[in-house]
Each structure stands twice: as structure tokens, then as C-alpha cells.
Amino acid sequence: MSFDVGRLRGAASLALAGAVALFVFLFFFHWFGGSVSGLLPESHISGASISATGWEAFTSSRWIWLATIVLALGSALATAADYRFDGPLRPAVLVAGLGALSCGLIIYRIAHHPSATVNVGRLHASYGIELGIWLGLLAALATTVGGYLQAQAEAKPPAEQPPASSPAQAFSGLTVSSTEPPASPRSSEDAP
């Protein structure tokens, strides 16, 4: 088995890039955050902010996202090593499925995000989603599309013979030994 990064083209490289980006956005970008500014004039604190990465904010969804990343990386390594899976379920199909589930979970988190804004005098406080969650969604979409396109490319049978264009051509290779019907054996009663 030889390892060649040159085999990662098109769909496989898109799934790999999406998985690496999802890893970076999940662990190093802020998905939720809040800030408080304009505190009391007598205090020495003028404001504060808090934020959380996707890994820190979501305790259950993060395992699906991590499984998507690991499976996409494994699929890319198998493609680069020219390893063929003969089982009924290909890794690219799993990457596409987990990528779609990851997208759905992120969209759910975007749609049902906790957010609040409070303005009381000079005090301003807000909390909501940040840029990292949107970048995570784009990375999950790239992983999903890459896995789907790779699964489609793997599912195509090799083109050995072109399909017949007409019914006559479909039966053109058949031969018939005789055009006369076979003679039936005569019984003794039929004889003159």
C-alpha cells in the first residue's frame, strides 16, 4: 500500500478541507459570546466579555462533530493510501451522512440560540452567537458536499462497454443455428 497525497483530488480534498476547517472552528473560534460595558462610574471595571468555543458550548453535539472530523480524515487517509473498502457501506457515504447531521445540529443551534440585550442607563449587556458558528456551518457543508460527491464517484461502475442504443443492437451478438423448426419425432400411429 503506497501513500500518495496526489490521489486526494476533487471531492476527497473538499471533504478533507472541510473536516480540517471544522476542527479549527470548533476548537479555536468563538461560537457564543457576551459582553457587558458601561458599569458604574465609581468602579475600576469598565466592562467584561465572555465567550465559548463550539467544543465548550455544546456538550452533546460536539461528539457528532468530532466523529465527523475523524471519519472524514480517515476517509481521506484511506483515499491517499489507495485502500478500497469492499463492504456495503463506503466511508464517503458515512462522511456525507455525518456531515449532514452536523449541518443540521449547527443550524438548530443557530435557530435556537440564546440571545439577550439589556440597556439600563449606561449599562449595556448582550449575549448571542458569534462568527465561529457560521464558519463551522460552512465547514460542515463543505465536508457534507465533499463526502457526497466522493460517494457518487465511487458508486459509478467502471465503463467497460457502452450501453446499447437500440434494441436491435442489444441482441446483435446472438446467433441462431437453424431457421427451421426442429422436427418432432413421429409416433407409430402416424406412420402410413
Side-chain angles (χ1 to χ4, degrees), residues 113-137:
H113 69 279
S115 64
T117 302
V118 176
N119 290 313
V120 178
R122 292 180 41 196
L123 177 68
H124 173 74
S126 65
Y127 184 78
I129 60 175
E130 291 193 8
L131 178 65
I133 198 166
W134 296 103
L135 295 175
L137 177 61

Side-chain angles (χ1 to χ4, degrees), residues 26 53-65 109:
L26 181 64
T53 64
W55 184 259
E56 296 166 340
F58 305 110
T59 57
S60 57
S61 300
R62 65 182 173 187
W63 299 110
I64 299 293
W65 297 327
R109 298 298 183 180

Side-chain angles (χ1 to χ4, degrees), residues 36-176:
V36 177
S37 62
L39 295 177
L40 298 174
E42 295 87 26
S43 72
H44 298 297
I45 301 172
S46 61
S49 65
I50 187 170
S51 57
T53 64
W55 184 259
E56 296 166 340
F58 305 110
T59 57
S60 57
S61 300
R62 65 182 173 187
W63 299 110
I64 299 293
W65 297 327
L66 185 63
T68 303
I69 293 166
V70 169
L71 189 61
L73 292 175
S75 176
L77 288 175
T79 301
D82 199 26
Y83 186 79
R84 303 283 180 212
F85 292 93
D86 294 330
L89 197 57
R90 309 270 184 208
V93 173
L94 291 173
V95 169
L98 278 176
L101 180 60
S102 295
C103 289
L105 289 172
I106 294 172
I107 289 171
Y108 176 79
R109 298 298 183 180
I110 290 171
H112 298 288
H113 69 279
S115 64
T117 302
V118 176
N119 290 313
V120 178
R122 292 180 41 196
L123 177 68
H124 173 74
S126 65
Y127 184 78
I129 60 175
E130 291 193 8
L131 178 65
I133 198 166
W134 296 103
L135 295 175
L137 177 61
L138 290 176
L141 281 172
T143 305
T144 304
V145 170
Y148 175 76
L149 293 176
Q150 187 177 4
Q152 291 296 317
E154 290 174 356
K156 291 182 182 175
E160 295 175 8
Q161 293 180 347
S165 60
S166 70
Q169 288 178 340
F171 295 105
S172 64
L174 299 177
T175 59
V176 178

Side-chain angles (χ1 to χ4, degrees), residues 21-32 51-56 130-133 135-136:
L22 183 59
F23 175 82
V24 170
F25 298 143
L26 181 64
F27 284 99
F28 301 109
F29 278 67
H30 297 219
W31 288 31
F32 285 97
S51 57
T53 64
W55 184 259
E56 296 166 340
E130 291 193 8
L131 178 65
I133 198 166
L135 295 175

